[in-house]
Amino acid sequence: MSTVRDGLAVSEGISFGPVRLVEWQVPDVPHSMVETEQVEDEVARFDGARGRARERLRDIQEATRERLGTLEARIFDPQLLMLDDVEVVDGTIRYIRENRLSAARAYHLRMLEIQALWIRTGNPMILDRLNDLEDVMSRVLRLLLDLPEPGDVTGDGRPAILVARNLTPSITVQMDPEVILAIATDQGTRTSHWAILARSMEIPAVAGLVDISRVAREGQEAILDGRVGRVVLDPDERDGEVYRQRKGQIRAWEEELVEIARMDAVTLDGQPVALRANLDIPAETARAVQYGAEGVGLFRTEFLVVGRNAMPEEEEQYEAYREIAEAFPNQAVVIRTFDLGGDKFPMFLHMPAEENPFLGWRAIRVCLDRLELFRPQLRAILRASAHGDVRILLPLVNDVEEVVRVRELLAEEEVRLKDEGIPFHAGYKLGVLVETPAAALDAAELARHCDFFSIGTNDLIQYTLAVDRTNSRLAHLYNPFHPAVVRQLHQVSRVARAAGIEVSVCGEMAAHPLGAFLLLGLNITALSVAWPSLPEVKKVIRSFRMESAREAARKALAAPTSADVTRVLVEGLGDTVDLSAFSGRWSLSIP
Ligand code: PEP
Ligand code: MG
């Protein structure tokens, strides 16, 4: 019997192969002391090990820059900073001098203390950085203990699916994608540094699987689907067939890609759809272009702050936004302002832990409270607007006042830019990310103050149904086809139409065949999806007529339960699309 584990989809792609269990860990450090006359030598040994670790990390950083780019290389900045952190260095030297501990023992103790402090904050963002801390700690300790450096996960060189408790950026960046077919971990999230690297390296990955490293056995056959976040251990024949078909389909799409990319995203009866890409990092731009995106519907900007010890400079932001704008000439590029909080906290904000981070100091609330963070971002986006159709999107808006306040800030920054003679496009658009029931129900008011809506169904579903989107135990309750969700989508679409503003959907729902079908039926004709989903969604769009989508949407609006909504959509879409590949997603039970 096969064993199925669902976690967080962090890097796209489907892989088959035997499990390779990898136990990288901070080495055991024996308690050892030195003689008084050796104390200064031990301090020197510690400094020497730090120096060698710094050199090695810089080499890895440089190799990463060459292989993947500047952003990915910056992932190693926090580790370099931790090497020279005064708290770490002074604390360690004090233990060596005052307690005559060996350098390894002293450093280990000091790092464990810092680790405990971090854990005590309970702050998810800081917890996410623990593996950077472990990465650097392990490197220095191995140097002090004369152990080989961590990082070789090649094993016998045969291709395998790597299964670990967690990973580190330095191990990930040294992986050969020919050998490491995929990654599955107990811990980690989409914003873990190793996960960002896996995405850039196009190694499929699923994180947050809780106990996969205990459940999986060395050599056991597995299938990993990085698109839906699923791992199947000991797959049976049917699993094998479903995923082989799916992979075959993806491969066929890749072959047809040039052709599909050139095709219009248009329904059988000629309704054009603006099919755009969601980008998490600038490195995804080339793929989005190749996959035929008609612009960017959601550019998440958190990569600029996650794991950083300092606020990003306006100039760095401007360069990143401009690069994207220039990659999509004459097409919309929607830049979302920092969506911090929830599961994304930068270290420099020094956030105390919150009881309910997703209901806490998040997104627009953080930005409006921290203008020293927000203003440079607004300026950078305004400056990038001189290079294309750059639009601004505000996350987690609940109130009209929030939009009004942002308009005031923008007006102030515009005046400053004019005074400084710095160009920007005065006709840029400002939009609201509708992702709370408050925004959906109050859409008519919000529409008076903004130029477009983008519906963030990922959060809208979580807040409507009170189901944590990251809680795998509740995955079966996280249902985009719940009647309460469908009704809100309908309401927002109607309001936007009446107000004459564009409405799009940038949540995952748009990438699901039934989701795309329903959204079009609700007259939402702009969709934004992760780049790997672009060809698939385009094919779905090209397979039906608006008439049948509208008819199905009408029935969905009258359906009493999620199961009924799903059923009418399945019936309406007919058998032109193979839905079996999506059955793992949102526990969609297809009749
Ligand atoms: C959403 O909430 O649907 C959305 C697109 O934003 P994110 O997934 O980044 O929260
Ligand atoms: Mg959201």
Side-chain angles (χ1 to χ4, degrees), residues 191-203:
T191 49
S192 298
H193 277 152
W194 70 260
I196 293 177
L197 289 171
R199 245 185 345 264
S200 286
M201 294 163 77
E202 300 189 7
I203 300 179

Side-chain angles (χ1 to χ4, degrees), residues 278 280 298 300 302 336 339 344 358 362 433-435 454-460 469 478 506-508:
N278 291 349
D280 286 339
L298 171 68
R300 296 181 169 100
E302 294 75 55
R336 180 178 70 184
D339 186 7
K344 293 172 278 205
F358 276 106
R362 226 201 120 175
L433 186 54
V434 178
E435 50 185 351
S454 182
I455 309 179
T457 47
N458 302 342
D459 275 311
L460 184 62
R469 61 192 263 191
Y478 186 87
C506 62
E508 295 282 315

Side-chain angles (χ1 to χ4, degrees), residues 541-558:
I541 291 169
R542 292 175 61 88
S543 75
F544 61 79
R545 309 178 78 82
M546 278 303 273
E547 212 177 290
S548 55
R550 290 203 178 105
E551 171 68 15
R554 254 194 306 279
K555 287 186 186 157
L557 280 165

Side-chain angles (χ1 to χ4, degrees), residues 115-129:
Q115 191 178 35
L117 277 178
W118 284 17
I119 291 171
R120 224 172 297 143
T121 65
N123 179 332
M125 194 65 235
I126 292 181
L127 294 179
D128 214 20
R129 295 284 79 83

Side-chain angles (χ1 to χ4, degrees), residues 190-455:
R190 258 186 98 74
T191 49
S192 298
H193 277 152
W194 70 260
I196 293 177
L197 289 171
R199 245 185 345 264
S200 286
M201 294 163 77
E202 300 189 7
I203 300 179
V206 180
L209 286 153
V210 184
D211 58 359
I212 192 81
S213 71
R214 273 169 283 145
V215 175
R217 294 184 317 276
E218 182 76 19
Q220 186 178 25
E221 281 307 311
I223 301 174
L224 180 145
D225 185 343
R227 174 171 298 197
V228 300
R230 172 166 286 196
V231 176
V232 185
L233 297 170
D234 286 332
D236 59 25
E237 244 170 68
R238 195 185 117 73
D239 296 320
E241 198 175 318
V242 165
Y243 285 96
R244 257 191 307 279
Q245 246 184 31
R246 178 102 186 100
K247 196 167 164 121
Q249 212 171 44
I250 294 171
R251 211 173 286 134
W253 279 332
E254 268 162 15
E255 278 160 22
E256 289 176 65
L257 201 61
V258 182
E259 206 186 318
I260 301 179
R262 270 202 224 109
M263 287 179 189
D264 290 328
V266 58
T267 61
L268 277 183
D269 51 346
Q271 168 66 53
V273 177
L275 185 55
R276 302 177 184 138
N278 291 349
L279 303 184
D280 286 339
I281 47 175
E284 291 173 312
T285 310
R287 283 297 204 178
V289 171
Q290 185 198 7
Y291 275 57
E294 296 172 40
V296 176
L298 171 68
F299 181 32
R300 296 181 169 100
T301 54
E302 294 75 55
F303 73 92
L304 286 158
V305 287
V306 165
R308 298 274 184 97
N309 289 21
M311 292 200 194
E313 301 280 334
E314 175 188 321
E315 202 56 30
E316 182 192 359
Q317 297 191 54
Y318 164 64
E319 290 297 335
Y321 305 154
R322 192 182 76 173
E323 188 187 321
I324 312 277
E326 288 178 345
F328 295 93
N330 307 318
Q331 287 171 329
V333 170
V334 180
I335 300 180
R336 180 178 70 184
T337 58
F338 296 132
D339 186 7
L340 303 172
D343 59 352
K344 293 172 278 205
F345 271 113
M347 321 256 276
F348 60 77
L349 279 182
H350 302 296
M351 268 292 300
E354 292 186 320
E355 287 289 323
N356 285 303
F358 276 106
L359 303 180
W361 198 46
R362 226 201 120 175
I364 191 71
R365 305 167 187 175
V366 173
C367 286
L368 288 178
D369 282 352
R370 290 299 183 92
L371 295 184
E372 73 279 19
L373 173 72
F374 197 32
R375 276 187 194 274
Q377 183 174 40
L378 294 179
R379 265 176 76 94
I381 305 177
L382 284 176
R383 288 173 60 194
S385 73
H387 304 276
D389 179 5
V390 170
R391 307 177 185 181
I392 305 176
L393 181 63
L394 306 175
L396 210 77
V397 166
N398 263 348
D399 298 309
V400 163
E401 288 92 332
E402 289 161 334
V403 187
V404 172
R405 180 70 184 124
V406 176
R407 286 247 189 241
E408 284 167 10
L409 293 170
L410 282 165
E412 287 166 20
E413 294 310 325
E414 284 181 37
V415 170
R416 286 197 191 133
L417 288 173
K418 269 192 208 137
D419 288 349
E420 292 163 40
I422 299 175
F424 64 94
H425 170 56
Y428 66 87
K429 291 191 165 80
L430 176 68
V432 163
L433 186 54
V434 178
E435 50 185 351
T436 65
L441 294 169
D442 247 0
E445 276 311 314
L446 291 167
R448 274 190 259 283
H449 297 269
C450 68
D451 307 310
F452 67 96
F453 283 149
S454 182
I455 309 179

